[in-house]
Amino acid sequence: MARFSVRPRWLLLTAFAGLAVLLAGCSDVRYLAQAAGGQLELLRRARPVAAVLADPQTPAETRRKLELVGRVRAFAVREQSAGGLGLPDHGSFQSYVELGRPAVVWNVFRAPELSINLYTSCFPVAGCVGYRGYFREADAQAYAGSRRAAGEDVTVGGVSAYSTLGYLRDPVLSSMLSASDASLIRTIIHELSHPSLYVAGDTIFNESYATALEEEGMRRWLAAHGTPELREQDRLAQERAAGFEALLLRTRTELERLYAQPLPPAELRAGKQRVLDSLQAQYATLKTSWGGYSGYDGWFARGVNNASLGAVAAYASLVPDFQRLLARVGGDIPAFIAGAKACAAQPQAERQKCLRGEGT
């Protein structure tokens, strides 16, 4: 996500960029080397949060945000009986890295000129993902340029945070701290959720799981620590994110239907342009309804095409099913995690039924 100013749920697919490339048995040695080198550089530069807080040179806002991260982290891993969420503690978010840049990783998404389906890369553990991540923006742009020259639709987006799924102790990154308090709280809970359950190759299951925990965690945080200002900040951000997601998903569906038609390429290209022009007009209307809020302008500024829309999918579509599972165990999060793991062990086609309690 330079950095996404807001964090729609579908953008969370970027969370595994670092882990995917680190564990890849990839033939592209330079790609693997930059990924491993970028991750190791983060570990080298990480400072204990306590030391950063004690440093008189630390800016006041950085100090305030790090203190907030510490409180949210403690809340997330604290036992439920003590008022926390009871998430497993893998040691993340206890160190800090000042990146000196707006993003930690830049992801490159690619799609054919007349298809909304992303090209994928497959890695051990992480499975197949629809992007390649680079720790240097110049490397990402160079790769993107080579694919554009080959006739592909390409987009590049910066990532403010990602999870290594408990394999490493992830630091707090300076790129995370530019988010609003509400978004930062959600990010910490979401990323701390991922290491407790990850299913290779099933992004929808993984993201819905972490989003369900994010939603429940945010609900409990607001109940225990929320202020009227924080509640309104979160409500407004979620409302805008939902509207933006809905607009992009509708446009993606329009393009899918268009490309499924047996039309000559020239007609498909003309239809594609009409759909994209309509998207721009609809976004302008949406902005007006938001009083001119421009937080999503950067997404459009990078250029809208099959790749940027192909990265949009209903990655949180199973959230209601995970929420039903949470309700069945009486809101007990460790029991919820155990139940979700049992469903994850089922064949992919059976996982949703398992979450719903069907056939059990």
Side-chain angles (χ1 to χ4, degrees):
M1 301 172 201
R3 157 168 217 291
F4 289 115
S5 59
V6 286
R7 194 179 55 100
R9 289 172 181 165
W10 53 267
L11 293 177
L12 294 170
L13 65 97
T14 59
F16 313 112
L19 178 70
V21 294
L22 275 176
L23 299 181
C26 183
S27 61
D28 187 338
V29 176
R30 286 180 298 176
Y31 177 61
L32 179 60
Q34 68 83 28
Q39 181 63 65
L40 291 173
E41 178 67 8
L42 292 183
L43 298 177
R44 185 188 69 80
R45 294 174 56 189
R47 300 172 61 197
V49 167
V52 179
L53 293 176
D55 187 344
Q57 300 301 314
T58 298
E61 182 63 4
T62 299
R63 187 188 311 279
R64 187 187 72 81
K65 287 287 183 69
L66 286 175
E67 289 172 344
L68 175 60
V69 169
R71 293 195 298 273
V72 176
R73 182 193 183 282
F75 165 77
V77 302
R78 188 182 303 133
E79 295 293 334
Q80 285 189 119
S81 59
L85 298 181
L87 293 177
D89 187 353
H90 294 275
S92 292
F93 300 143
Q94 298 186 91
S95 61
Y96 175 71
V97 176
E98 176 57 54
L99 294 171
R101 59 182 192 261
V104 60
V105 169
W106 283 264
N107 283 348
V108 182
F109 298 87
R110 307 156 44 224
E113 180 193 10
L114 297 174
S115 173
I116 208 72
N117 296 317
L118 294 174
Y119 291 115
T120 59
S121 299
C122 298
F123 308 98
V125 180
C128 296
V129 293
Y131 55 86
R132 287 168 63 117
Y134 293 85
F135 280 87
R136 293 180 65 250
E137 184 177 14
D139 292 340
Q141 295 293 354
Y143 177 67
S146 71
R147 301 322 304 164
R148 288 192 189 96
E152 298 174 359
D153 275 15
V154 182
T155 191
V156 179
V159 180
S160 65
Y162 64 84
S163 170
T164 58
L165 307 178
Y167 286 88
L168 300 172
R169 295 186 175 186
D170 298 323
V172 182
L173 303 169
S174 57
S175 52
M176 298 165 62
L177 301 189
S178 60
S180 69
D181 284 5
S183 180
L184 180 59
I185 292 166
R186 285 179 171 272
T187 296
I188 296 302
I189 296 171
H190 188 103
E191 300 300 347
L192 289 175
S193 298
H194 275 304
S196 58
L197 176 59
Y198 180 77
V199 184
D202 197 339
T203 301
I204 292 175
F205 189 92
N206 296 326
E207 288 306 328
S208 295
Y209 166 79
T211 299
L213 283 173
E214 171 195 324
E215 291 290 342
E216 180 63 13
M218 189 62 173
R219 185 188 69 79
R220 296 186 190 188
W221 176 271
L222 290 174
H225 308 289
T227 63
E229 293 77 15
L230 183 63
R231 291 188 183 93
E232 177 60 14
Q233 182 185 86
D234 187 59
R235 183 200 66 76
L236 193 57
Q238 294 304 300
E239 179 181 285
R240 288 167 173 165
F244 186 63
E245 285 181 34
L247 173 59
L248 298 190
L249 287 169
R250 286 196 303 271
T251 303
R252 177 191 168 107
T253 298
E254 285 185 59
L255 286 175
E256 285 179 319
R257 291 172 178 165
L258 171 67
Y259 297 144
Q261 296 180 46
L263 299 173
E267 290 188 36
L268 291 176
R269 292 188 186 99
K272 172 184 176 181
Q273 191 58 55
R274 286 194 297 271
V275 171
L276 296 182
D277 289 344
S278 175
L279 171 60
Q280 295 279 357
Q282 291 177 73
Y283 176 60
T285 300
L286 190 59
K287 276 184 63 175
T288 299
S289 74
W290 291 338
Y293 173 75
S294 60
Y296 292 98
D297 284 4
W299 189 86
F300 281 91
R302 286 192 295 275
V304 184
N305 57 28
N306 290 334
S308 55
L309 287 166
V312 179
Y315 287 118
S317 61
L318 295 182
V319 169
D321 297 307
F322 277 105
Q323 290 173 331
R324 292 186 189 99
L325 171 60
L326 183 60
R328 287 202 305 276
V329 298
D332 184 287
I333 288 181
F336 166 79
I337 294 172
K341 286 181 177 178
C343 292
Q346 300 292 319
Q348 186 167 0
E350 301 298 317
R351 288 171 192 160
Q352 186 172 17
K353 291 182 180 179
C354 177
L355 292 174
R356 292 175 174 174
E358 298 174 3
T360 60

